[in-house]
Amino acid sequence: MDFFNMNLMTVLAETDEHKDLCLHTFNKPEDDEQLPSVKLDWLREYKIQRQATSDVLKKQASVAQESALKYFEEIGEGGRFDEYINRNTK
């Protein structure tokens, strides 16, 4: 393809309490002078309502940050795309 812009939403993990997702945006501009880009937008969808207190928000933000960074590191290291690793872990 000469150029493209596509989005892919992926479910990363799911529990009784929440679902972790990532919106992947891949862009290769029509102009060959511009570099292709990948944007990762990690999010957590809660299935259980919680009070929005400062303590709850701080704790959940910390947990979410840890999970998101773990996923981003896996992407950066290439482990999510290694056919040999993926084939032998399922």
Coordinates of all heavy atoms in Angstrom, one line a residue:
M1 N 0.8 -1.2 0.0 CA 0.0 0.0 0.0 C 0.9 1.2 0.0 O 1.9 1.3 0.7 CB -0.9 0.0 1.2 CG -2.0 -1.0 1.2 SD -3.1 -0.7 2.6 CE -2.8 -2.1 3.5
D2 N 0.5 2.2 -0.8 CA 1.2 3.4 -0.8 C 1.0 4.3 0.4 O 1.9 5.0 0.9 CB 0.9 4.2 -2.1 CG 1.3 3.5 -3.4 OD1 2.3 2.8 -3.3 OD2 0.7 3.7 -4.4
F3 N -0.2 4.3 0.9 CA -0.6 5.1 2.1 C -1.8 4.5 2.7 O -2.6 3.8 2.1 CB -0.8 6.6 1.8 CG -1.9 6.9 0.8 CD1 -3.2 7.1 1.2 CD2 -1.6 6.8 -0.6 CE1 -4.2 7.4 0.3 CE2 -2.6 7.1 -1.5 CZ -3.9 7.4 -1.1
F4 N -2.0 4.7 4.0 CA -3.1 4.2 4.8 C -3.3 4.9 6.1 O -2.3 5.5 6.6 CB -3.1 2.7 5.0 CG -1.8 2.2 5.7 CD1 -1.7 2.2 7.1 CD2 -0.7 1.8 4.9 CE1 -0.6 1.8 7.7 CE2 0.4 1.4 5.6 CZ 0.5 1.4 7.0
N5 N -4.4 4.8 6.7 CA -4.7 5.2 8.0 C -5.8 4.3 8.6 O -6.9 4.2 8.1 CB -5.2 6.7 8.1 CG -5.4 7.2 9.5 OD1 -5.3 6.4 10.5 ND2 -5.5 8.5 9.6
M6 N -5.4 3.4 9.5 CA -6.4 2.5 10.0 C -6.3 2.4 11.6 O -5.3 2.6 12.2 CB -6.1 1.1 9.4 CG -4.8 0.4 9.7 SD -4.8 -1.1 8.8 CE -3.0 -1.3 8.6
N7 N -7.4 2.0 12.1 CA -7.6 1.8 13.6 C -7.9 0.3 13.9 O -8.7 -0.3 13.1 CB -8.7 2.7 14.1 CG -8.4 4.1 13.9 OD1 -7.3 4.6 14.3 ND2 -9.3 4.9 13.4
L8 N -7.4 -0.2 15.0 CA -7.7 -1.5 15.4 C -7.9 -1.5 16.9 O -7.0 -1.1 17.7 CB -6.5 -2.5 15.0 CG -6.6 -3.9 15.5 CD1 -7.7 -4.6 14.9 CD2 -5.3 -4.6 15.3
M9 N -9.1 -1.9 17.4 CA -9.4 -2.0 18.8 C -9.2 -3.4 19.2 O -9.8 -4.3 18.6 CB -10.8 -1.5 19.1 CG -11.2 -1.6 20.6 SD -10.3 -0.5 21.6 CE -11.2 1.0 21.3
T10 N -8.4 -3.6 20.3 CA -8.1 -5.0 20.7 C -8.4 -5.1 22.2 O -8.0 -4.2 23.0 CB -6.6 -5.3 20.5 OG1 -6.2 -5.0 19.2 CG2 -6.3 -6.7 20.9
V11 N -9.0 -6.2 22.6 CA -9.3 -6.5 24.0 C -8.0 -7.2 24.5 O -7.6 -8.2 24.0 CB -10.5 -7.4 24.2 CG1 -10.6 -7.8 25.7 CG2 -11.8 -6.8 23.7
L12 N -7.3 -6.6 25.5 CA -6.1 -7.1 26.0 C -6.3 -8.1 27.2 O -5.6 -9.1 27.3 CB -5.2 -6.0 26.5 CG -4.9 -4.9 25.5 CD1 -4.1 -3.8 26.1 CD2 -4.1 -5.5 24.3
A13 N -7.3 -7.8 28.0 CA -7.5 -8.6 29.2 C -9.0 -8.3 29.7 O -9.5 -7.2 29.5 CB -6.5 -8.4 30.3
E14 N -9.6 -9.3 30.4 CA -10.9 -9.1 30.9 C -11.1 -9.9 32.2 O -10.7 -11.0 32.2 CB -11.9 -9.5 29.8 CG -13.3 -9.1 30.2 CD -14.3 -9.2 29.1 OE1 -13.9 -9.6 28.0 OE2 -15.5 -8.9 29.3
T15 N -11.6 -9.2 33.2 CA -12.0 -9.8 34.4 C -13.4 -9.5 34.7 O -14.1 -8.8 34.0 CB -11.1 -9.3 35.6 OG1 -11.5 -7.9 35.9 CG2 -9.6 -9.4 35.3
D16 N -13.9 -10.0 35.9 CA -15.3 -9.6 36.3 C -15.4 -8.2 36.6 O -16.5 -7.6 36.6 CB -15.7 -10.5 37.5 CG -15.8 -11.9 37.2 OD1 -16.0 -12.3 36.0 OD2 -15.7 -12.8 38.2
E17 N -14.3 -7.5 36.9 CA -14.4 -6.1 37.3 C -14.1 -5.1 36.2 O -14.6 -4.0 36.3 CB -13.4 -5.8 38.5 CG -13.7 -6.6 39.7 CD -12.7 -6.3 40.9 OE1 -11.9 -5.3 40.7 OE2 -12.8 -7.0 41.9
H18 N -13.3 -5.5 35.2 CA -12.9 -4.5 34.2 C -12.5 -5.2 32.9 O -12.2 -6.4 32.9 CB -11.8 -3.6 34.7 CG -10.5 -4.3 34.9 ND1 -10.2 -4.8 36.2 CD2 -9.5 -4.7 34.1 CE1 -9.0 -5.4 36.1 NE2 -8.6 -5.3 34.9
K19 N -12.4 -4.4 31.9 CA -11.8 -4.9 30.6 C -10.8 -3.9 30.1 O -11.0 -2.7 30.1 CB -13.0 -5.0 29.5 CG -12.5 -5.5 28.2 CD -13.6 -5.8 27.2 CE -15.0 -5.2 27.4 NZ -15.9 -5.4 26.2
D20 N -9.6 -4.4 29.7 CA -8.5 -3.6 29.2 C -8.5 -3.7 27.7 O -8.6 -4.8 27.2 CB -7.2 -4.0 29.8 CG -7.0 -3.8 31.3 OD1 -7.8 -3.0 31.8 OD2 -6.1 -4.4 31.9
L21 N -8.4 -2.5 27.1 CA -8.4 -2.4 25.6 C -7.3 -1.5 25.1 O -6.8 -0.7 25.9 CB -9.8 -1.8 25.1 CG -11.0 -2.5 25.6 CD1 -11.8 -1.6 26.5 CD2 -11.8 -3.1 24.5
C22 N -7.0 -1.6 23.9 CA -6.1 -0.7 23.3 C -6.5 -0.4 21.9 O -6.8 -1.3 21.1 CB -4.6 -1.3 23.2 SG -3.4 -0.1 22.8
L23 N -6.6 0.9 21.6 CA -6.9 1.4 20.2 C -5.5 1.6 19.6 O -4.8 2.5 20.0 CB -7.7 2.6 20.2 CG -8.0 3.3 18.9 CD1 -8.8 2.3 18.0 CD2 -8.7 4.6 19.1
H24 N -5.3 0.9 18.5 CA -4.0 1.0 17.7 C -4.3 1.8 16.5 O -5.3 1.5 15.7 CB -3.5 -0.3 17.3 CG -3.2 -1.3 18.4 ND1 -4.3 -1.9 19.1 CD2 -2.1 -1.7 19.1 CE1 -3.8 -2.7 20.0 NE2 -2.5 -2.6 20.0
T25 N -3.6 2.9 16.2 CA -3.8 3.7 15.0 C -2.5 3.6 14.2 O -1.4 4.0 14.7 CB -4.1 5.2 15.4 OG1 -5.3 5.2 16.2 CG2 -4.4 6.0 14.1
F26 N -2.6 3.2 13.0 CA -1.5 3.0 12.1 C -1.7 4.0 11.0 O -2.7 4.0 10.3 CB -1.4 1.6 11.5 CG -1.3 0.5 12.6 CD1 -2.5 -0.1 13.0 CD2 -0.1 0.2 13.2 CE1 -2.4 -1.1 14.0 CE2 -0.1 -0.8 14.1 CZ -1.2 -1.4 14.5
N27 N -0.6 4.8 10.7 CA -0.8 5.8 9.7 C 0.5 5.9 8.8 O 1.6 6.0 9.3 CB -1.0 7.2 10.3 CG -1.2 8.3 9.3 OD1 -1.9 8.1 8.3 ND2 -0.7 9.5 9.5
K28 N 0.3 5.7 7.5 CA 1.4 5.9 6.6 C 0.9 7.0 5.6 O 0.1 6.8 4.8 CB 1.7 4.6 5.8 CG 2.9 4.8 4.8 CD 3.2 3.5 4.2 CE 4.5 3.6 3.4 NZ 4.2 3.9 2.0
P29 N 1.5 8.2 5.7 CA 1.0 9.3 4.9 C 1.3 9.1 3.4 O 2.2 8.4 3.0 CB 1.8 10.5 5.4 CG 2.3 10.1 6.8 CD 2.5 8.6 6.7
E30 N 0.5 9.8 2.6 CA 0.7 9.7 1.2 C 2.1 10.3 0.7 O 2.7 9.9 -0.2 CB -0.4 10.4 0.5 CG -0.5 10.2 -1.0 CD -1.8 10.8 -1.6 OE1 -2.6 11.3 -0.9 OE2 -1.9 10.7 -2.8
D31 N 2.5 11.4 1.5 CA 3.8 12.0 1.2 C 4.9 11.2 1.7 O 5.0 10.9 2.9 CB 3.8 13.4 1.9 CG 5.0 14.2 1.7 OD1 5.9 13.7 1.0 OD2 5.1 15.3 2.2
D32 N 5.8 10.7 0.8 CA 6.9 9.9 1.2 C 7.9 10.5 2.0 O 8.8 9.9 2.7 CB 7.6 9.3 -0.1 CG 6.8 8.3 -0.9 OD1 5.9 7.7 -0.2 OD2 7.0 8.1 -2.1
E33 N 7.9 11.8 2.1 CA 8.8 12.6 3.0 C 8.4 12.4 4.5 O 9.2 12.6 5.4 CB 8.8 14.1 2.6 CG 9.2 14.4 1.2 CD 10.7 14.5 1.0 OE1 11.3 15.0 2.0 OE2 11.2 14.1 0.0
Q34 N 7.2 12.1 4.8 CA 6.7 12.0 6.1 C 6.8 10.5 6.6 O 6.6 9.6 5.8 CB 5.2 12.4 6.3 CG 5.0 13.9 6.0 CD 3.6 14.3 6.2 OE1 2.7 13.5 6.5 NE2 3.3 15.5 6.0
L35 N 7.1 10.3 7.9 CA 7.3 9.0 8.4 C 6.0 8.4 8.8 O 5.1 9.1 9.3 CB 8.2 9.1 9.7 CG 9.7 9.5 9.5 CD1 10.3 9.7 10.8 CD2 10.4 8.5 8.6
P36 N 5.9 7.0 8.7 CA 4.7 6.3 9.2 C 4.7 6.5 10.7 O 5.7 6.7 11.4 CB 5.0 4.9 8.8 CG 6.0 4.9 7.8 CD 6.8 6.1 8.0
S37 N 3.5 6.3 11.3 CA 3.4 6.4 12.8 C 2.4 5.4 13.3 O 1.6 4.8 12.6 CB 2.9 7.8 13.2 OG 1.6 8.0 12.7
V38 N 2.6 5.0 14.6 CA 1.8 4.1 15.3 C 1.4 4.8 16.6 O 2.3 5.4 17.3 CB 2.5 2.8 15.6 CG1 1.6 1.9 16.5 CG2 2.9 2.1 14.4
K39 N 0.1 4.9 16.9 CA -0.4 5.5 18.2 C -1.1 4.4 19.0 O -1.9 3.7 18.4 CB -1.3 6.6 17.8 CG -1.9 7.3 19.1 CD -2.9 8.4 18.7 CE -3.6 9.0 19.9 NZ -4.7 9.9 19.5
L40 N -0.8 4.3 20.2 CA -1.4 3.3 21.1 C -2.2 4.1 22.2 O -1.6 4.9 22.9 CB -0.3 2.4 21.8 CG 0.6 1.7 20.8 CD1 1.7 1.0 21.6 CD2 -0.2 0.7 20.0
D41 N -3.5 3.8 22.3 CA -4.4 4.5 23.2 C -5.0 3.4 24.1 O -6.0 2.7 23.8 CB -5.4 5.2 22.5 CG -6.3 6.1 23.4 OD1 -5.9 6.2 24.6 OD2 -7.3 6.6 22.9
W42 N -4.3 3.1 25.3 CA -4.8 2.1 26.2 C -5.9 2.6 27.1 O -5.9 3.8 27.4 CB -3.6 1.7 27.1 CG -3.8 0.6 28.1 CD1 -3.5 -0.7 27.9 CD2 -4.4 0.7 29.4 NE1 -3.9 -1.5 28.9 CE2 -4.4 -0.6 29.9 CE3 -4.9 1.7 30.1 CZ2 -4.9 -0.9 31.1 CZ3 -5.4 1.4 31.4 CH2 -5.4 0.1 31.9
L43 N -6.9 1.8 27.3 CA -8.0 2.2 28.2 C -8.6 1.0 29.0 O -8.4 -0.1 28.6 CB -9.1 2.9 27.4 CG -9.8 2.1 26.3 CD1 -11.3 2.0 26.5 CD2 -9.5 2.7 25.0
R44 N -9.2 1.4 30.1 CA -9.8 0.4 31.0 C -11.3 0.7 31.1 O -11.6 1.8 31.5 CB -9.1 0.3 32.4 CG -9.8 -0.6 33.3 CD -9.0 -0.9 34.5 NE -8.0 -1.9 34.1 CZ -7.0 -2.3 34.9 NH1 -6.9 -1.8 36.1 NH2 -6.1 -3.2 34.5
E45 N -12.1 -0.3 30.9 CA -13.5 -0.1 31.0 C -14.0 -0.9 32.3 O -13.8 -2.1 32.4 CB -14.2 -0.7 29.8 CG -15.7 -0.6 29.7 CD -16.2 -1.3 28.5 OE1 -16.1 -0.6 27.4 OE2 -16.7 -2.4 28.5
Y46 N -14.5 -0.1 33.2 CA -15.0 -0.7 34.5 C -16.4 -1.3 34.4 O -17.3 -0.7 33.8 CB -14.9 0.3 35.6 CG -13.5 0.6 36.0 CD1 -12.9 1.8 35.5 CD2 -12.7 -0.2 36.8 CE1 -11.6 2.1 35.8 CE2 -11.4 0.1 37.1 CZ -10.9 1.3 36.6 OH -9.6 1.6 36.9
K47 N -16.6 -2.5 34.9 CA -17.9 -3.1 34.9 C -18.6 -2.9 36.2 O -19.8 -3.2 36.3 CB -17.7 -4.7 34.7 CG -17.1 -5.0 33.4 CD -16.9 -6.5 33.2 CE -16.2 -6.8 31.9 NZ -16.0 -8.3 31.8
I48 N -17.9 -2.5 37.2 CA -18.5 -2.2 38.6 C -18.3 -0.8 38.9 O -17.3 -0.2 38.7 CB -17.7 -3.1 39.6 CG1 -17.9 -4.6 39.4 CG2 -18.2 -2.7 41.0 CD1 -17.1 -5.5 40.2
Q49 N -19.4 -0.1 39.3 CA -19.4 1.3 39.7 C -18.6 1.5 41.0 O -18.6 0.6 41.9 CB -20.8 1.8 39.9 CG -21.6 1.9 38.6 CD -22.9 2.5 38.9 OE1 -23.3 2.9 40.0 NE2 -23.7 2.7 37.8
R50 N -17.9 2.6 41.0 CA -17.1 3.0 42.2 C -17.3 4.4 42.5 O -17.7 5.2 41.6 CB -15.6 2.8 41.9 CG -15.2 1.4 41.5 CD -13.8 1.5 40.8 NE -13.6 0.2 40.1 CZ -12.8 -0.8 40.7 NH1 -12.2 -0.6 41.8 NH2 -12.7 -1.9 40.0
Q51 N -17.0 4.8 43.7 CA -17.1 6.2 44.1 C -15.9 6.9 43.5 O -14.8 6.3 43.5 CB -17.1 6.4 45.6 CG -18.4 6.0 46.3 CD -18.4 6.3 47.7 OE1 -17.3 6.3 48.4 NE2 -19.5 6.6 48.3
A52 N -16.1 8.1 43.0 CA -15.0 8.8 42.4 C -14.3 9.7 43.4 O -14.2 10.9 43.3 CB -15.5 9.7 41.2
T53 N -13.7 9.1 44.5 CA -13.0 9.8 45.5 C -11.6 10.0 45.1 O -11.1 9.3 44.2 CB -13.0 9.1 46.9 OG1 -12.3 7.9 46.7 CG2 -14.5 8.9 47.3
S54 N -10.9 10.9 45.7 CA -9.5 11.2 45.3 C -8.6 9.9 45.5 O -7.8 9.6 44.7 CB -8.9 12.3 46.2 OG -7.6 12.5 45.9
D55 N -8.8 9.2 46.6 CA -8.1 8.0 46.9 C -8.3 6.9 45.9 O -7.4 6.2 45.4 CB -8.4 7.5 48.3 CG -7.8 8.3 49.4 OD1 -6.9 9.1 49.1 OD2 -8.3 8.3 50.5
V56 N -9.6 6.7 45.5 CA -9.9 5.7 44.5 C -9.3 6.0 43.2 O -8.7 5.2 42.5 CB -11.5 5.5 44.4 CG1 -11.8 4.6 43.2 CG2 -12.0 4.9 45.7
L57 N -9.4 7.3 42.8 CA -8.9 7.7 41.5 C -7.4 7.6 41.4 O -6.8 7.1 40.4 CB -9.3 9.1 41.2 CG -10.8 9.3 40.9 CD1 -11.1 10.8 40.8 CD2 -11.3 8.5 39.7
K58 N -6.7 7.9 42.5 CA -5.2 7.8 42.5 C -4.8 6.3 42.4 O -3.9 6.0 41.7 CB -4.7 8.4 43.8 CG -4.6 9.9 43.8 CD -4.1 10.4 45.2 CE -4.2 11.9 45.2 NZ -3.7 12.4 46.5
K59 N -5.5 5.5 43.2 CA -5.2 4.0 43.1 C -5.4 3.4 41.8 O -4.6 2.7 41.2 CB -5.9 3.3 44.2 CG -5.6 1.8 44.2 CD -6.3 1.0 45.3 CE -5.7 -0.4 45.3 NZ -6.7 -1.4 45.3
Q60 N -6.6 3.7 41.2 CA -6.9 3.2 39.9 C -6.0 3.7 38.8 O -5.6 3.0 37.9 CB -8.4 3.4 39.6 CG -9.3 2.7 40.5 CD -9.1 1.2 40.5 OE1 -8.9 0.5 39.4 NE2 -9.0 0.6 41.7
A61 N -5.6 5.0 38.9 CA -4.7 5.6 37.9 C -3.4 4.9 38.0 O -2.7 4.6 36.9 CB -4.6 7.1 38.1
S62 N -2.9 4.6 39.2 CA -1.6 3.9 39.3 C -1.7 2.5 38.8 O -0.7 2.0 38.1 CB -1.2 3.8 40.8 OG -0.1 3.1 41.0
V63 N -2.7 1.7 39.1 CA -2.9 0.4 38.5 C -3.0 0.4 37.0 O -2.4 -0.4 36.3 CB -4.1 -0.3 39.2 CG1 -4.5 -1.6 38.5 CG2 -3.9 -0.5 40.7
A64 N -3.8 1.3 36.5 CA -3.9 1.4 35.0 C -2.6 1.8 34.4 O -2.3 1.2 33.3 CB -5.0 2.5 34.7
Q65 N -1.9 2.7 35.0 CA -0.6 3.1 34.4 C 0.4 1.9 34.3 O 1.0 1.7 33.3 CB 0.1 4.2 35.2 CG 1.4 4.6 34.7 CD 2.1 5.7 35.6 OE1 1.6 6.0 36.7 NE2 3.1 6.3 35.0
E66 N 0.4 1.1 35.4 CA 1.3 -0.1 35.4 C 0.9 -1.1 34.3 O 1.7 -1.6 33.6 CB 1.2 -0.8 36.8 CG 2.1 -1.9 36.9 CD 2.0 -2.5 38.3 OE1 1.9 -1.8 39.3 OE2 2.1 -3.8 38.4
S67 N -0.4 -1.3 34.1 CA -0.9 -2.2 33.1 C -0.6 -1.7 31.7 O -0.2 -2.5 30.8 CB -2.4 -2.5 33.3 OG -2.6 -3.2 34.5
A68 N -0.8 -0.4 31.5 CA -0.6 0.2 30.2 C 0.9 0.1 29.8 O 1.3 -0.3 28.7 CB -1.1 1.6 30.2
L69 N 1.7 0.5 30.8 CA 3.2 0.5 30.5 C 3.7 -0.9 30.2 O 4.6 -1.1 29.3 CB 4.0 1.2 31.6 CG 3.8 2.7 31.7 CD1 4.5 3.2 33.0 CD2 4.2 3.4 30.5
K70 N 3.2 -1.9 30.9 CA 3.5 -3.3 30.6 C 3.2 -3.6 29.2 O 4.0 -4.2 28.5 CB 2.9 -4.2 31.6 CG 3.2 -5.7 31.4 CD 2.5 -6.6 32.4 CE 2.8 -8.0 32.0 NZ 1.9 -8.9 32.7
Y71 N 2.0 -3.3 28.7 CA 1.6 -3.6 27.4 C 2.5 -2.9 26.4 O 3.0 -3.4 25.4 CB 0.1 -3.3 27.2 CG -0.3 -3.5 25.7 CD1 -0.4 -4.8 25.2 CD2 -0.6 -2.5 24.9 CE1 -0.8 -5.1 23.9 CE2 -1.0 -2.7 23.6 CZ -1.1 -4.0 23.1 OH -1.4 -4.3 21.8
F72 N 2.7 -1.6 26.6 CA 3.5 -0.8 25.7 C 5.0 -1.4 25.6 O 5.6 -1.4 24.5 CB 3.6 0.7 26.1 CG 2.3 1.4 26.1 CD1 2.0 2.5 26.9 CD2 1.2 0.9 25.3 CE1 0.8 3.1 26.9 CE2 0.0 1.6 25.2 CZ -0.2 2.7 26.0
E73 N 5.5 -1.8 26.7 CA 6.8 -2.4 26.7 C 6.8 -3.7 25.9 O 7.8 -4.0 25.1 CB 7.3 -2.7 28.1 CG 7.8 -1.5 28.8 CD 8.2 -1.7 30.3 OE1 8.5 -2.9 30.6 OE2 8.2 -0.8 31.0
E74 N 5.8 -4.5 26.0 CA 5.7 -5.8 25.2 C 5.6 -5.4 23.7 O 6.2 -6.1 22.9 CB 4.4 -6.6 25.6 CG 4.5 -7.2 27.0 CD 3.2 -7.8 27.4 OE1 2.2 -7.9 26.6 OE2 3.1 -8.3 28.5
I75 N 4.9 -4.4 23.4 CA 4.8 -4.0 22.0 C 6.2 -3.5 21.5 O 6.7 -3.9 20.5 CB 3.8 -2.8 21.8 CG1 2.4 -3.3 22.0 CG2 3.9 -2.2 20.4 CD1 1.8 -4.2 20.9
G76 N 6.8 -2.7 22.3 CA 8.1 -2.1 22.0 C 9.2 -3.2 21.8 O 10.1 -3.1 20.9
E77 N 9.2 -4.2 22.6 CA 10.1 -5.3 22.5 C 9.9 -6.3 21.4 O 10.7 -7.1 21.1 CB 10.2 -6.0 23.9 CG 10.8 -5.2 25.0 CD 10.6 -5.9 26.4 OE1 9.9 -6.9 26.4 OE2 11.2 -5.3 27.3
G78 N 8.6 -6.2 20.9 CA 8.3 -7.1 19.7 C 7.7 -8.4 20.1 O 7.4 -9.2 19.2
G79 N 7.5 -8.7 21.4 CA 7.0 -10.0 21.8 C 5.6 -10.3 21.4 O 5.2 -11.4 21.2
R80 N 4.8 -9.2 21.2 CA 3.4 -9.4 20.8 C 3.3 -9.8 19.3 O 2.3 -10.3 18.8 CB 2.6 -8.2 21.0 CG 2.3 -7.9 22.5 CD 1.1 -8.7 22.9 NE 0.9 -8.5 24.3 CZ -0.3 -8.5 24.8 NH1 -1.4 -8.8 24.1 NH2 -0.5 -8.3 26.1
F81 N 4.4 -9.6 18.6 CA 4.4 -9.8 17.1 C 5.3 -11.0 16.7 O 5.4 -11.2 15.5 CB 4.7 -8.6 16.4 CG 3.8 -7.4 16.7 CD1 4.2 -6.4 17.5 CD2 2.5 -7.4 16.2 CE1 3.3 -5.3 17.8 CE2 1.6 -6.4 16.5 CZ 2.0 -5.4 17.3
D82 N 5.9 -11.6 17.6 CA 6.8 -12.7 17.3 C 6.0 -13.9 17.0 O 5.5 -14.5 17.9 CB 7.9 -12.9 18.4 CG 8.9 -13.9 18.0 OD1 8.6 -15.0 17.6 OD2 10.1 -13.5 18.1
E83 N 6.0 -14.4 15.8 CA 5.2 -15.6 15.4 C 5.6 -16.8 16.2 O 4.7 -17.6 16.6 CB 5.2 -15.9 13.9 CG 4.6 -14.8 13.1 CD 4.7 -15.1 11.6 OE1 4.6 -16.3 11.3 OE2 4.7 -14.1 10.9
Y84 N 6.9 -17.0 16.4 CA 7.3 -18.2 17.1 C 6.8 -18.2 18.6 O 6.3 -19.1 19.1 CB 8.8 -18.3 17.1 CG 9.4 -19.5 17.9 CD1 9.3 -20.8 17.4 CD2 9.9 -19.3 19.1 CE1 9.8 -21.8 18.1 CE2 10.4 -20.4 19.9 CZ 10.3 -21.6 19.3 OH 10.8 -22.7 20.1
I85 N 7.0 -17.0 19.3 CA 6.6 -16.9 20.7 C 5.1 -17.1 20.8 O 4.6 -17.8 21.6 CB 7.0 -15.5 21.3 CG1 8.5 -15.5 21.4 CG2 6.4 -15.3 22.6 CD1 9.1 -14.1 21.8
N86 N 4.3 -16.4 19.9 CA 2.9 -16.4 20.0 C 2.3 -17.8 19.7 O 1.4 -18.3 20.3 CB 2.2 -15.4 19.0 CG 2.4 -14.0 19.5 OD1 2.5 -13.7 20.7 ND2 2.5 -13.1 18.6
R87 N 2.9 -18.5 18.8 CA 2.5 -19.8 18.4 C 2.7 -20.8 19.5 O 1.9 -21.7 19.8 CB 3.2 -20.3 17.1 CG 2.7 -21.6 16.6 CD 3.4 -22.0 15.3 NE 4.8 -21.8 15.2 CZ 5.5 -20.9 14.4 NH1 4.8 -20.2 13.6 NH2 6.8 -20.8 14.5
N88 N 3.8 -20.7 20.3 CA 4.1 -21.6 21.3 C 3.6 -21.3 22.7 O 3.9 -22.0 23.6 CB 5.7 -21.8 21.3 CG 6.2 -22.5 20.1 OD1 5.6 -23.5 19.7 ND2 7.2 -22.0 19.5
T89 N 2.9 -20.2 22.8 CA 2.3 -19.9 24.2 C 0.8 -20.1 24.2 O 0.2 -19.9 25.2 CB 2.6 -18.4 24.5 OG1 2.1 -17.6 23.5 CG2 4.1 -18.2 24.7
K90 N 0.2 -20.5 23.1 CA -1.2 -20.7 23.1 C -1.6 -22.1 23.3 O -0.9 -23.0 23.2 CB -1.8 -20.2 21.8 CG -1.7 -18.7 21.7 CD -2.3 -18.2 20.5 CE -2.2 -16.7 20.4 NZ -2.7 -16.1 19.3

